[in-house]
Amino acid sequence: MTGVRTLAVEDCDADIRLDRWFRRRFPELGHGRLEKLLRTGQVRVDGARARAGQRLAPGQAVRVPPLGEAGAPSAAAPRRRAAARPADRELAERLAARVLHIDDEALALDKPAGVATQGGTGIGSHVDGALDGLRFGLDRRPKLVHRLDKDTSGVLLLARTDPAARWLARAFRDRAAEKIYWAVVVGELRPATGTVDLPLARLPGKGGEKTAVDRANGRRALTDYAVVEQLGHRAAWVALRPRTGRTHQLRVHMAALGTPILGDGKYGGADAFLEAEGLDRRPHLHARSIALDRPGGGRLSAAAPLPPHMARCWAFLGFETGDPAVRWPRID
């Protein structure tokens, strides 16, 4: 394929890294070659030089230089992809057994804890790499419209068509999707309901993606919380409702309150652990449910059961099972 093209970033690709954007559209373009195109300024975003890790926003213009055979896939036809790796095929089979909801527009999966949503440094198999095995009769692979942290389990929503990808991505961007998380936090959370309003910014460095409260330069981040059960001063079952979607928002906000999520040593350090036999040391954060209105009427919703390590924690701490009646703080 010859000639320079300028492609617009779609709603469904909001906040995706530039290198992952290229990987989705031009899977045969190697990372080394992409890095060379970036170094020489042949790839640009809105006319400016670009970096592999920079995040894209809907409507931005990406300059794509001639790519030869790597640029063969087109928007008008199903894209050619490299043969699926055994790890991706195995993960696709696991995920196919964890479907929570499927219709003509959307697919909801119960993502296991420990499985990354997208690829990156040091990540082997991930949901994005397994999507070819989740077509369920359609010609095209589903599209990611939001993400979950690798260590977070629960509802992950995918779009099955391009129109659905656009309205679902718009719903997440406009905060029209209600996302409810369940977590166990260490310590006593008071008051029992509230809204955390602390701006967040990504920290520089090569030690992995990390976020911190930054009152001077951070982006506004809002999290509603409600204590479902408080176990003395030791721990609490908390329902969380993020109203913004910053990286690691729930984890940073809970740690900032002095009640880190159980098992989240990245943000809570030693205070994120309870000395007790039978408690898993993985983070206890679960995307319990997602609900949003469809453009043509009706409502799309899905809920995921607790993963095994959190179910064991519920039993160990004596929390009641079932869906609680949560009293959320008022939204002004």
Side-chain angles (χ1 to χ4, degrees):
M1 183 171 291
T2 61
V4 174
R5 289 167 288 168
T6 300
L7 303 181
V9 178
E10 300 177 2
D11 286 348
C12 59
D13 288 328
D15 204 38
I16 192 176
R17 287 169 53 111
L18 179 61
D19 54 357
R20 292 173 185 166
W21 183 88
F22 267 93
R23 193 178 304 136
R24 286 184 181 182
R25 280 153 186 77
F26 310 105
E28 289 128 349
L29 178 66
H31 183 75
R33 187 177 171 205
L34 174 60
E35 287 285 0
K36 183 177 180 180
L37 294 173
L38 289 165
R39 285 196 305 271
T40 56
Q42 296 183 66
V43 171
R44 291 177 176 262
V45 176
D46 287 343
R49 282 180 173 267
R51 297 173 291 101
Q54 79 178 65
R55 303 279 176 174
L56 299 177
Q60 285 188 309
V62 181
R63 181 188 189 274
V64 181
L67 301 177
E69 288 301 314
S74 68
R79 300 182 179 103
R80 294 192 295 115
R81 301 185 62 84
R85 301 174 305 159
D88 292 333
R89 291 196 298 269
E90 188 274 336
L91 178 57
E93 292 175 2
R94 288 177 62 196
L95 295 174
R98 301 174 69 93
V99 172
L100 300 168
H101 170 89
I102 187 169
D103 59 38
D104 292 341
E105 295 183 301
L107 170 66
L109 302 174
D110 180 9
K111 186 190 82 65
V115 174
T117 304
Q118 294 176 304
T121 303
I123 295 177
S125 62
H126 47 83
V127 175
D128 196 30
L131 293 182
D132 276 317
L134 299 171
R135 298 175 183 235
F136 295 108
L138 297 187
D139 291 334
R140 303 187 72 165
R141 68 199 314 253
K143 289 186 176 182
L144 294 167
V145 291
H146 71 118
R147 294 174 293 169
L148 290 177
D149 291 348
K150 179 179 178 180
D151 293 325
T152 301
S153 59
V155 182
L156 182 67
L157 201 57
L158 308 172
R160 302 192 72 208
T161 66
D162 287 342
R166 287 190 287 272
W167 74 258
L168 283 167
R170 191 178 309 116
F172 281 101
R173 189 185 68 240
D174 295 344
R175 306 173 191 172
E178 183 176 67
K179 297 180 287 183
I180 305 299
Y181 291 73
W182 287 357
V184 176
V185 299
V186 179
E188 185 176 11
L189 184 54
R190 291 286 182 262
T193 62
T195 298
V196 186
D197 186 353
L198 291 173
L200 302 177
R202 286 194 180 95
L203 293 175
K206 299 181 180 180
E209 198 170 37
K210 196 168 183 180
T211 301
V213 174
D214 186 339
R215 298 180 185 276
N217 302 304
R219 300 171 68 188
R220 193 180 189 194
L222 292 165
T223 300
D224 296 327
Y225 72 86
V227 174
V228 179
E229 284 193 58
Q230 180 71 52
L231 188 62
H233 300 291
R234 192 180 189 194
W237 168 11
V238 181
L240 301 166
R241 183 174 65 180
R243 287 199 262 146
T244 53
R246 311 301 177 212
T247 301
H248 299 170
Q249 175 177 318
L250 304 181
R251 299 165 64 183
V252 179
H253 276 174
M254 288 299 99
L257 294 182
T259 51
I261 291 173
L262 178 64
D264 186 13
K266 183 169 188 172
Y267 290 106
D271 292 338
F273 299 94
L274 293 173
E275 295 301 324
E277 291 289 337
L279 288 181
D280 200 292
R281 294 183 66 83
R282 286 178 290 176
H284 287 59
L285 178 62
H286 177 65
R288 168 60 177 170
S289 65
I290 291 178
L292 65 163
D293 293 327
R294 298 178 187 266
R299 192 158 173 83
L300 171 61
S301 62
L306 286 172
H309 76 285
M310 289 183 67
R312 290 192 297 270
C313 178
W314 255 240
F316 181 84
L317 297 178
F319 291 144
E320 295 290 334
T321 57
D323 281 292
V326 178
R327 298 183 62 181
W328 295 105
R330 291 179 55 186
I331 297 177
D332 297 325

